[in-house]
C-alpha cells in the first residue's frame, strides 16, 4: 500500500509544484496591502500547497522509516513553526511581501522533506537552524527600516569581511576540500557565507554616492583581496559569486557597460590563470569535460550526481525509493541531484522556474526602491541568490564545472540557512520602506546621490 | 529624478535578462540530459542503481525475431534464475549475466531492467504487491538459422555471421568453441583457464584472421575503381615472382589467359598479385580504408579493428601478398560479412544491428529500431560487376559447393594460410544474387579448403533460409 501511495504521490508533488507556481504568477505584481482580497485568497492557497507538500512528504517518511515517533514530533514542530511565522508576518508586518516569504517556505519545506529522508538527524538540525534563521529574519526588517546609519559604515563592513576571512587561516577547519569553517564555542560556522552580506553592504555603502573611476579602484582593491582569500581557501564558488556581485554592482552604480564587460574579461583571465596554476581548479575543469574518464577519482562526484539525475527520469523514483546516499556530499552541494532522483526532473524543472520567480521578485523590489543604497543592496542580494543557484545547479547537472556552494534554503547548512533567511529579511525591510514612501510618510530627496557622473 | 530612476532600472533589467537567460540554459541543459544523454549514462557499470534494480525487477526476456525465447528469468521458491533454452547456441551473442555482463545481456541491460508499462498497470502492481517485470528485447536473430549454423560448425572452431543486406539486421552470429550460459557460474574457472581455445571470445566480431582469397574482392574493387579493368588480361603459368617473392596458384595450376572475371572465379593468385603491383598503392589504401579497415565499426557488441597495413613505401612483395589476402592484413568474420553485404546492397552499407525493438512484458512496443545507412562504400556500378563475378565463382569457379538448386548465389571462397596447420577455410557470399535476402561470412579454423569445409555450410544455410 505504501508503494502505491509513493507512486501516486510522485504525481501529487508535481501537481502541487505547478499549482504553487501558478499562484506565484497570479500574485506577482499585486500590491501588498492587507485589504487586497485576491492576494489574501492566493496567499491562502499557497499556504495550503506548502502544507500539503509537507504533509504528503512526511506521510511517506512515516511509512518508510522505523523511528515513527521522532518523525511525527518533527512534523508537528515544523507545522507549528510555519503557522507561527505566518501569523507573525501577517499580524505584525502589515506590508509583508507574502509571495517572497511563501517562496522561501516552499524551498524550506522541500529541504525538510529531502533532508529528513536522507538522514533524520540532518533534517532535524536543519529545522532548528531554520527556526533560528527566521527569528533573525523577522527582526531584520524593523532594524533595516530604523537604522539610517547603516549606509555610513562602508569600511566597517569591509573590515569585518577581511577579519572573518583571515580568521579562517588561524581557526579554520577543512570540510569537503575547502578550508572555510571556523569553530567557536562548539559552534562551527562558515565565515564566507556571512561575508556575503557584509560584502554586499560594503559595496552598496561605498558605491551609492561614489562612482568615479578612482572610487571603483579604491573599493576594487580590498574586494579583490577578499576574492583572493577565498581562492586560497579553495572556496572557488564563493569567490566567483563575489566577483560577479562586484562587477554587477559597479555596473549598476556607474551605468557604464565597460566595467561589466571589462570585469568579465578580467575575470576570464583570472579564471584561466587559476586553471593553469592551481591543480584543484584544473581537476574540476577536467572532471567537467569528461566525468566518465576517471569515475573513481576526479569524476566521482559529478558521475554519481548524473547517475542520480538520469535515474530519476521525468517522474522520479518516488520519495524513499532512490539511492541519494550514493551521491557524494548529497545533503549540501548535491541536494539537487537527490531531488531529481526521487521527485523527478519535471519537478526539478519546475523548481528551477520557481527559483527564477524568487529572483525576479527580489529584483522587482529593487526596481521600486528609490534610495540608491537600498536599491544596490536589494540588487546585490538578488544577484547573489541567482548566481549561487546557477553555479550549484549548473555544477550538479555538469553544465559548468562544479564549485562547492549551497543551494539557498534547500541545502543542509546552518550558516547557509541563517544567511539566506537574513537576506530575505533585509529585502523585506527594503520593501517596507518603499511602501511607506509611497504613502508620503517620508521625504526621500536627501538620500539621492549628490551628482551622478556618467 | 523619475527619469534617473527609469534609467537606473533599465540597467538592472538588462542584468536580470542575463541571469534569467542563464537559468533558461540550465533548464535546457537539464531537459537535454534527461531526454537524450541519460540513457547512456544510466547503464554505466559504476552506477550503484543497477544492482538495486536487479534485486527488485524480474529481468525481461530476450526473443528471436519470431518471438522464440532465447533468454528468460524464472522464479523458483523466491530465487531468480536466468535460463537460456538454446544452451550453447546463442552463447556469445546473448552473452552472460553473472560474472559481469557481455553480449546483448550487457547491451540491453537497462532495457531489460526497465518497465515501460502504463501508469495504471504500475499502480496495480504496487497495490497488489506483484513483481515488476522488465521489458523484453526482440532481436533480429533467427533461431532456426542460428541453430543450423551452430550445428554445421559442429566441433570445429570458427564463426558464422549472417546479415540481411538491405537492413543491416544480424540474422545469426555463431562463434565456436563456446560455452553454456546456463552453467556459466559452475564452469567459470575452466572457461577462463582455457587460454588455448578461448571459448569466451566471440570470434565472429573479435577474432582476426588473414582474409585469404576473399580479399580479392577488395583488390578487384580497388583495381576497377582506378584502372581500365575491361582491358585487363594476364597469362597465368601457375606461379610468378614479384620482387623475389614467389607466388603460387593453388596446386600450381596454370590458369592460362584470364581476365578479371575469370581470375576471380578461379581465384588466380598470380593474376591478383600482378593486379596489386600494377595499380597505385594509394588507391589500394584508399579503397581499403573506405571499406572500414583500420577503424572501429559502430556496433552493439565490441569488435576488433581489422588491419590493412600497406603504405606508400610498401615493397612490391608485400603488395603482391596483400593483394591475395595473405601478408599482414587481418579481418574479423563480422567485418567480412559487412563487406559482402554492401556488395549485395548496391554499395550501400547498412548499419548492423541486433535489437529490432523493445517491448513491454505484455507485448507493447516501446522502442523500434529502424534500418540506417552506415555509409556508401562503393559505387553501384562496381557492386554490380562484383556481383556478376561472384555469381561466376559459384556457377563455374571455386564456389560450386555452395550452389543451391533454383537459387542464384554470389560467393567467394578463401583459404587463409595458418602457420599452425591446415589453412582456415573462408566463405563469403549472398543470395539470391538479384534480390539478396541474406549475406554470409563463414570461417572454419584449421580445416583445409573452402569448398570442403566452408562452402557446404553456406549451401545449407542459404537453402534453409531461402527455401523454408
Amino acid at each position: 500500500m505504501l508503494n502505491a501511495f509513493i507512486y501516486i504521490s510522485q504525481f501529487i508533488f508535481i501537481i502541487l509544484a505547478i499549482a504553487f507556481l501558478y499562484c506565484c504568477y497570479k500574485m506577482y505584481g499585486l500590491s501588498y496591502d492587507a485589504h487586497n482580497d485576491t492576494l489574501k485568497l492566493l496567499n491562502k492557497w499557497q499556504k495550503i500547497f506548502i502544507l500539503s507538500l509537507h504533509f504528503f512528504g512526511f506521510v511517506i517518511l512515516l511509512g518508510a522509516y522505523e523511528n515513527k515517533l521522532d518523525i511525527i514530533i518533527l512534523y508537528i514542530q515544523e507545522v507549528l513553526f510555519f503557522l507561527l511565522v505566518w501569523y507573525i508576518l501577517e499580524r505584525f508586518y502589515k506590508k509583508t511581501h507574502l509571495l517572497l516569504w511563501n517562496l522561501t517556505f516552499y524551498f524550506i519545506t522541500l529541504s525538510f522533506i529531502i533532508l529528513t529522508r536522507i538522514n533524520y538527524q540532518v533534517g532535524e538540525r536543519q529545522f532548528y537552524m531554520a527556526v533560528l534563521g527566521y527569528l533573525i529574519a523577522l527582526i531584520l526588517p524593523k532594524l533595516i527600516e530604523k537604522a539610517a546609519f547603516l549606509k555610513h559604515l562602508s569600511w566597517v563592513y569591509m573590515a569585518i569581511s577581511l577579519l572573518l576571512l583571515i580568521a579562517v587561516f588561524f581557526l579554520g577547519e577543512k570540510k569537503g576540500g575547502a578550508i572555510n569553517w571556523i569553530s567557536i564555542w562548539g559552534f562551527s560556522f562558515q565565515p564566507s557565507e556571512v561575508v556575503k552580506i557584509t560584502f554586499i553592504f560594503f559595496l552598496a555603502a561605498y558605491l551609492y554616492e561614489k562612482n568615479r573611476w578612482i572610487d571603483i579602484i579604491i573599493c576594487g582593491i580590498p574586494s579583490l583581496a577578499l576574492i583572493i582569500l577565498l581562492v586560497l581557501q579553495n572556496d572557488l564558488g564563493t569567490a566567483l559569486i563575489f566577483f560577479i556581485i562586484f562587477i554587477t554592482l559597479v555596473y549598476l552604480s556607474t551605468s557604464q557597460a565597460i566595467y561589466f564587460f571589462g570585469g568579465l574579461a578580467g575575470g576570464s583571465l583570472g579564471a584561466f590563470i587559476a586553471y593553469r596554476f592551481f591543480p584543484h581548479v584544473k581537476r574540476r575543469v577536467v572532471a567537467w569535460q569528461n566525468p566518465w574518464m576517471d569515475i573513481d577519482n576526479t569524476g566521482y562526484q559529478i558521475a554519481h550526481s548524473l547517475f542520480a539525475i538520469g535515474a530519476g527520469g521525468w517522474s522520479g523514483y518516488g520519495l524513499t525509493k532512490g539511492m541519494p546516499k550514493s551521491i557524494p556530499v548529497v545533503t549540501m552541494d548535491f541536494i539537487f541531484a537527490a531531488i531529481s532522483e526521487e521527485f523527478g526532473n519535471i519537478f526539478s524543472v519546475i523548481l528551477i522556474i520557481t527559483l527564477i520567480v524568487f529572483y525576479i521578485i527580489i529584483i522587482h523590489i529593487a526596481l521600486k526602491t528609490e534610495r540608491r543604497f537600498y536599491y544596490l543592496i536589494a540588487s546585490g542580494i538578488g544577484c547573489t541568490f541567482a548566481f549561487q543557484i546557477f553555479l550549484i545547479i549548473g555544477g550538479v547537472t555538469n553544465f559548468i564545472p562544479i564549485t562547492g556552494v549551497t543551494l539557498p534554503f534547500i541545502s543542509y547548512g546552518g550558516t547557509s540557512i541563517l544567511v539566506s533567511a537574513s537576506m530575505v529579511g533585509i529585502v523585506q525591510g527594503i520593501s517596507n520602506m518603499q511602501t511607506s514612501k509611497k504613502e508620503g510618510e517620508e521625504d526621500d530627496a536627501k538620500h539621492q546621490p549628490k551628482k551622478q557622473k556618467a | 529624478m523619475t527619469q534617473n530612476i527609469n534609467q537606473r532600472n533599465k540597467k538592472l533589467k538588462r542584468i536580470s535578462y542575463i541571469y534569467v537567460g542563464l537559468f533558461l540554459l540550465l533548464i535546457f541543459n537539464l531537459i537535454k540530459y534527461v531526454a537524450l544523454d541519460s540513457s547512456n549514462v544510466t547503464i554505466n557499470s559504476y552506477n550503484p542503481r543497477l544492482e538495486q534494480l536487479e534485486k527488485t525487477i524480474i529481468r525481461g526476456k530476450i526473443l528471436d525475431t519470431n518471438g522464440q525465447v532465447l533468454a528468460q528469468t524464472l522464479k523458483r521458491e523466491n530465487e531468480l534464475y536466468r535460463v537460456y533454452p538454446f544452451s550453447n547456441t546463442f552463447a556469445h551473442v546473448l552473452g552472460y549475466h553473472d560474472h559481469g555482463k557481455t553480449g546483448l545481456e550487457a547491451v540491453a541491460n537497462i532495457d531489460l531492467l526497465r518497465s515501460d508499462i502504463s501508469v495504471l498497470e504500475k499502480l496495480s502492481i504496487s497495490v497488489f504487491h506483484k513483481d515488476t517485470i522488465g521489458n523484453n528485447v526482440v532481436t533480429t536473430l533467427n533461431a532456426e538459422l542460428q541453430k543450423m549454423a551452430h550445428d554445421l560448425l559442429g566441433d570445429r572452431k570458427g564463426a558464422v555471421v549472417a546479415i540481411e543486406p538491405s537492413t543491416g539486421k544480424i540474422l545469426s552470429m555463431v562463434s565456436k568453441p563456446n560455452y553454456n550460459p546456463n552453467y556459466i557460474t559452475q564452469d567459470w574457472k575452466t572457461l577462463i583457464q582455457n587460454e588455448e581455445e578461448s571459448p569466451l571470445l566471440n570470434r565472429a566480431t573479435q577474432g582476426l584472421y588473414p582474409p585469404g582469397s576473399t580479399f580479392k574482392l577488395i583488390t578487384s574493387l580497388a583495381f576497377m575503381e582506378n584502372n581500365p579493368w575491361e582491358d585487363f588480361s594476364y597469362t597465368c603459368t601457375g606461379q610468378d615472382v614479384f620482387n623475389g617473392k614467389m607466388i603460387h596458384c593453388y596446386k600450381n595450376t596454370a590458369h592460362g589467359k584470364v581476365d578479371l572475371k575469370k581470375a576471380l572465379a578461379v581465384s588466380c593468385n598470380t593474376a591478383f598479385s600482378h593486379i596489386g603491383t600494377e595499380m597505385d598503392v594509394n588507391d589500394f589504401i584508399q579503397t581499403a580504408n573506405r571499406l572500414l579497415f583500420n577503424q572501429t565499426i559502430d556496433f552493439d557488441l565490441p569488435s576488433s579493428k581489422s588491419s590493412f597495413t600497406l603504405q606508400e613505401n610498401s615493397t612490391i612483395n608485400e603488395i603482391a601478398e596483400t593483394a591475395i589476402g595473405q601478408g599482414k592484413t587481418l579481418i574479423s568474420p563480422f567485418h567480412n560479412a559487412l563487406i559482402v553485404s554492401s556488395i549485395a546492397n548496391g554499395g550501400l552499407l547498412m548499419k548492423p544491428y541486433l535489437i529490432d525493438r523493445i517491448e513491454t512484458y505484455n507485448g507493447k512496443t516501446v522502442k523500434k529500431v529502424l534500418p540506417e545507412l552506415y555509409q556508401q562504400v562503393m559505387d553501384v556500378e562496381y557492386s554490380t560487376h562484383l556481383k556478376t563475378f561472384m555469381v561466376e565463382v559459384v556457377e563455374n569457379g571455386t564456389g560450386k559447393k555452395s550452389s543451391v538448386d533454383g537459387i542464384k548465389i554470389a560467393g567467394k571462397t578463401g583459404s587463409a594460410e595458418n602457420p599452425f596447420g591446415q589453412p582456415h577455410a573462408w566463405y563469403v557470399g549472398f543470395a539470391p544474387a538479384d534480390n539478396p535476402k541474406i549475406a554470409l561470412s563463414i570461417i572454419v579454423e584449421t580445416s583445409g579448403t573452402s569448398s570442403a569445409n566452408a562452402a557446404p555450410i553456406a549451401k545449407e544455410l542459404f537453402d534453409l533460409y531461402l527455401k523454408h
Side-chain angles (χ1 to χ4, degrees):
Chain A
M1 214 41 224
L2 177 66
N3 284 339
F5 186 76
I6 292 173
Y7 187 66
I8 297 171
S9 70
Q10 283 169 256
F11 301 94
I12 295 178
F13 288 138
I14 293 172
I15 292 167
L16 285 174
I18 294 172
F20 181 83
L21 187 60
Y22 178 75
C23 287
C24 292
Y25 168 73
K26 282 298 199 186
M27 278 166 93
Y28 181 78
L30 292 179
S31 70
Y32 286 86
D33 60 61
H35 310 295
N36 190 327
D37 290 335
T38 326
L39 187 77
K40 271 199 227 161
L41 182 69
L42 288 166
N43 179 43
K44 200 172 96 191
W45 276 113
Q46 279 201 324
K47 291 201 264 185
I48 291 173
F49 296 144
I50 291 167
L51 290 174
S52 309
L53 178 70
H54 191 234
F55 173 76
F56 284 111
F58 269 80
V59 167
I60 293 174
L61 298 183
L62 191 63
Y65 292 123
E66 293 308 314
N67 51 343
K68 301 198 189 302
L69 189 62
D70 289 341
I71 290 175
I72 293 176
I73 293 173
L74 183 61
Y75 173 75
I76 294 172
Q77 288 181 41
E78 286 175 2
V79 172
L80 289 177
F81 159 71
F82 287 138
L83 294 177
L84 185 67
V85 178
W86 271 320
Y87 177 76
I88 296 172
L89 282 171
E90 285 160 32
R91 180 75 178 73
F92 298 106
Y93 292 82
K94 291 280 157 46
K95 310 291 179 191
T96 298
H97 198 299
L98 298 167
L99 179 50
L100 180 70
W101 291 87
N102 284 349
L103 278 160
T104 68
F105 283 138
Y106 177 78
F107 302 141
I108 211 139
T109 302
L110 200 53
S111 174
F112 288 167
I113 295 172
I114 195 80
L115 291 179
T116 311
R117 178 261 175 270
I118 294 169
N119 181 334
Y120 170 78
Q121 271 80 26
V122 169
E124 196 184 24
R125 253 177 294 164
Q126 178 82 341
F127 168 64
Y128 294 132
M129 291 318 285
V131 172
L132 190 57
Y134 278 84
L135 193 70
I136 297 172
L138 286 172
I139 299 168
L140 275 171
K142 292 284 178 206
L143 203 71
I144 294 287
E145 265 182 290
K146 302 292 176 223
F149 60 88
L150 285 173
K151 62 173 179 284
H152 304 302
L153 301 178
S154 59
W155 291 103
V156 175
Y157 302 128
M158 181 45 91
I160 296 173
S161 307
L162 283 167
L163 274 176
L164 279 172
L165 287 188
I166 291 170
V168 172
F169 285 107
F170 300 101
L171 308 166
E173 275 174 37
K174 195 168 176 159
K175 281 195 190 176
I179 317 160
N180 51 11
W181 292 77
I182 294 185
S183 270
I184 299 173
W185 306 303
F187 289 98
S188 57
F189 81 110
Q190 222 180 332
S192 62
E193 286 282 344
V194 180
V195 175
K196 269 183 212 157
I197 296 182
T198 53
F199 182 58
I200 294 171
F201 270 71
F202 163 72
L203 288 175
Y206 189 87
L207 291 169
Y208 86 97
E209 54 174 9
K210 300 195 194 91
N211 53 23
R212 294 168 303 162
W213 65 268
I214 187 78
D215 299 323
I216 306 301
I217 290 177
I218 291 172
C219 80
I221 290 169
S223 304
L224 188 64
L226 284 183
I227 292 171
I228 290 173
L229 283 173
L230 287 167
V231 172
L232 293 177
Q233 291 161 17
N234 200 5
D235 196 345
L236 302 174
T238 314
L240 258 175
I241 293 171
F242 276 37
F243 171 71
I244 293 292
I245 296 313
F246 179 76
I247 60 172
T248 303
L249 289 189
V250 166
Y251 169 69
L252 290 178
S253 165
T254 59
S255 302
Q256 285 181 23
I258 175 109
Y259 287 116
F260 191 74
F261 292 109
L264 275 186
S268 309
L269 185 71
F272 181 71
I273 291 170
Y275 169 75
R276 288 295 301 272
F277 294 103
F278 293 101
H280 60 264
V281 179
K282 193 164 188 166
R283 258 170 79 95
R284 294 176 193 211
V285 177
V286 171
W288 168 64
Q289 285 167 329
N290 189 355
W292 313 112
M293 221 160 51
D294 188 11
I295 299 185
D296 277 328
N297 193 9
T298 47
Y300 185 78
Q301 292 194 332
I302 187 67
H304 281 268
S305 169
L306 289 176
F307 286 151
I309 297 171
W314 296 118
S315 60
Y317 258 14
L319 189 59
T320 70
K321 289 289 175 184
M323 297 180 75
K325 286 178 187 168
S326 72
I327 311 167
V329 241
V330 63
T331 57
M332 302 171 83
D333 304 10
F334 286 91
I335 195 74
F336 185 80
I339 293 174
S340 281
E341 175 170 18
E342 298 209 326
F343 289 82
N345 283 295
I346 295 178
F347 189 88
S348 286
V349 168
I350 299 168
L351 177 60
I352 298 177
I353 298 172
T354 315
L355 287 162
I356 302 179
V357 172
F358 177 61
Y359 165 69
I360 293 175
I361 301 271
I362 297 176
I363 293 304
H364 192 73
I365 291 170
L367 288 172
K368 288 198 295 185
T369 306
E370 290 181 5
R371 287 191 258 171
R372 270 172 66 81
F373 172 64
Y374 297 106
Y375 158 76
L376 288 175
I377 287 184
S379 310
I381 288 176
C383 294
T384 304
F385 274 131
F387 194 68
Q388 184 170 338
I389 293 163
F390 172 74
L391 274 188
I392 191 59
I393 298 183
V396 167
T397 55
N398 205 32
F399 183 56
I400 53 172
I402 184 82
T403 45
V405 292
T406 53
L407 186 57
F409 293 104
I410 301 177
S411 290
Y412 171 63
T415 327
S416 169
I417 199 143
L418 288 183
V419 168
S420 300
S422 302
M423 295 208 289
V424 168
I426 293 165
V427 171
Q428 176 64 58
I430 293 170
S431 170
N432 287 351
M433 277 183 235
Q434 48 182 259
T435 31
S436 26
K437 170 71 178 65
K438 226 176 252 168
E439 284 158 27
E441 288 170 7
E442 197 181 329
D443 185 8
D444 196 44
K446 59 178 183 241
H447 298 295
Q448 284 304 308
K450 287 157 195 164
K451 207 149 220 172
Q452 272 199 312
K453 296 215 170 179
Chain B
M1 194 179 84
T2 331
Q3 200 185 355
N4 271 346
I5 291 211
N6 280 344
Q7 245 175 11
R8 179 199 80 176
N9 283 354
K10 214 187 277 172
K11 311 281 172 201
L12 182 55
K13 281 180 185 164
R14 220 176 271 167
I15 293 274
S16 303
Y17 295 142
I18 297 178
Y19 281 103
V20 173
L22 288 177
F23 277 103
L24 295 179
L25 286 176
L26 277 188
I27 294 176
F28 175 77
N29 175 64
L30 181 60
I31 291 177
K32 179 178 151 280
Y33 172 72
V34 175
L36 302 177
D37 311 330
S38 66
S39 53
N40 289 329
V41 169
T42 338
I43 57 172
N44 192 300
S45 56
Y46 281 83
N47 191 344
R49 284 161 194 80
L50 293 179
E51 226 174 289
Q52 172 99 354
L53 275 179
E54 306 245 356
K55 288 182 198 142
T56 52
I57 279 198
I58 296 189
R59 196 174 175 82
K61 295 174 187 165
I62 302 179
L63 305 170
D64 97 327
T65 184
N66 299 316
Q68 287 208 61
V69 176
L70 307 182
Q72 66 179 329
T73 293
L74 299 177
K75 198 174 186 178
R76 267 181 241 134
E77 291 154 12
N78 267 332
E79 286 266 352
L80 297 176
Y81 298 89
R82 191 76 170 155
V83 177
Y84 303 86
F86 285 84
S87 305
N88 295 42
T89 313
F90 288 88
H92 297 97
V93 65
L94 291 187
Y96 45 85
H97 134 91
D98 286 331
H99 295 280
K101 291 185 175 60
T102 60
L104 280 167
E105 293 280 26
V107 174
N109 191 32
I110 199 73
D111 294 305
L112 293 165
L113 288 176
R114 271 174 67 106
S115 177
D116 283 294
I117 51 176
S118 71
V119 172
L120 281 179
E121 283 174 295
K122 272 187 190 164
L123 196 57
S124 91
I125 282 175
S126 53
V127 171
F128 298 111
H129 285 283
K130 286 191 285 190
D131 291 316
T132 306
I133 305 172
N135 293 328
N136 289 342
V137 170
V138 183
T139 64
T140 57
L141 296 165
N142 181 314
E144 311 307 322
L145 192 70
Q146 178 88 2
K147 209 169 162 336
M148 176 73 106
H150 184 263
D151 294 346
L152 287 168
L153 270 176
D155 292 335
R156 297 174 291 181
K157 291 182 213 164
V160 175
V161 179
I163 300 183
E164 187 172 79
S166 59
T167 57
K169 286 181 182 173
I170 306 290
L171 303 173
S172 160
M173 183 176 275
V174 179
S175 170
K176 286 262 183 126
N178 52 23
Y179 55 89
N180 187 337
N182 291 311
Y183 301 114
I184 190 80
T185 312
Q186 292 93 310
D187 299 347
W188 185 249
K189 270 217 170 112
T190 5
L191 288 171
I192 52 169
Q193 278 165 0
N194 190 347
E195 280 172 19
E196 198 184 325
E197 300 209 313
S198 44
L200 292 174
L201 178 81
N202 184 359
R203 286 169 159 75
T205 55
Q206 291 174 304
L208 289 176
Y209 304 87
S213 297
T214 61
F215 195 78
K216 287 173 186 161
L217 293 169
I218 293 153
T219 309
S220 305
L221 176 64
F223 183 62
M224 286 193 290
E225 282 175 339
N226 302 291
N227 300 278
W229 62 278
E230 283 98 339
D231 311 333
F232 171 78
S233 152
Y234 175 80
T235 309
C236 167
T237 56
Q239 60 186 52
D240 203 345
V241 181
F242 297 87
N243 194 26
K245 171 80 190 173
M246 176 75 87
I247 299 282
H248 298 275
C249 279
Y250 181 61
K251 288 183 174 165
N252 277 354
T253 314
H255 295 112
K257 195 172 174 210
V258 294
D259 60 2
L260 187 60
K261 184 177 182 180
K262 178 87 188 293
L264 195 79
V266 299
S267 205
C268 176
N269 283 345
T270 50
F272 274 95
S273 288
H274 179 73
I275 287 172
T277 51
E278 285 296 290
M279 70 179 156
D280 186 343
V281 67
N282 289 319
D283 293 339
F284 208 174
I285 296 168
Q286 210 197 352
T287 302
N289 285 338
R290 184 154 24 85
L291 290 173
L292 308 180
F293 278 90
N294 308 318
Q295 295 171 39
T296 308
I297 296 168
D298 181 11
F299 182 53
D300 293 337
L301 304 183
S303 61
S304 302
K305 264 190 213 176
S306 301
S307 61
F308 179 83
T309 58
L310 286 192
Q311 286 172 339
E312 208 169 346
N313 54 3
S314 292
T315 59
I316 294 289
N317 42 340
E318 257 182 89
I319 298 172
E321 282 190 286
T322 304
I324 59 170
Q326 309 294 358
K328 290 180 189 149
T329 310
L330 290 173
I331 192 169
S332 68
F334 169 62
H335 184 194
N336 226 349
L338 293 179
I339 292 174
V340 275
S341 174
S342 69
I343 297 173
N345 198 37
L348 300 179
L349 175 62
M350 301 304 288
K351 187 175 181 304
Y353 65 101
L354 272 167
I355 298 174
D356 180 63
R357 60 184 185 276
I358 310 292
E359 293 181 344
T360 60
Y361 78 95
N362 48 9
K364 260 180 273 166
T365 301
V366 178
K367 194 165 75 188
K368 167 90 184 150
V369 179
L370 294 174
E372 223 179 291
L373 180 68
Y374 196 92
Q375 67 190 55
Q376 180 172 16
V377 293
M378 70 189 79
D379 216 82
V380 62
E381 180 192 340
Y382 303 118
S383 75
T384 315
H385 292 314
L386 285 174
K387 194 184 284 185
T388 320
F389 300 167
M390 288 169 77
V391 170
E392 183 70 10
V393 169
V394 175
E395 286 178 355
N396 300 309
T398 54
K400 281 180 194 161
K401 284 282 168 59
S402 67
S403 65
V404 179
D405 284 344
I407 299 173
K408 200 184 198 185
I409 289 168
K412 181 74 194 84
T413 57
S415 34
E417 268 175 23
N418 176 8
F420 305 106
Q422 291 280 326
H424 306 311
W426 270 107
Y427 181 91
V428 295
F430 54 88
D434 297 321
N435 178 23
K437 297 257 184 273
I438 177 172
L440 285 175
S441 163
I442 299 164
I443 187 155
V444 187
E445 283 182 27
T446 333
S447 60
T449 61
S450 173
S451 43
N453 296 287
I457 296 179
K459 174 192 170 76
E460 298 289 334
L461 294 177
F462 283 139
D463 189 71
L464 173 81
Y465 192 72
L466 298 170
K467 286 193 171 169
H468 301 288

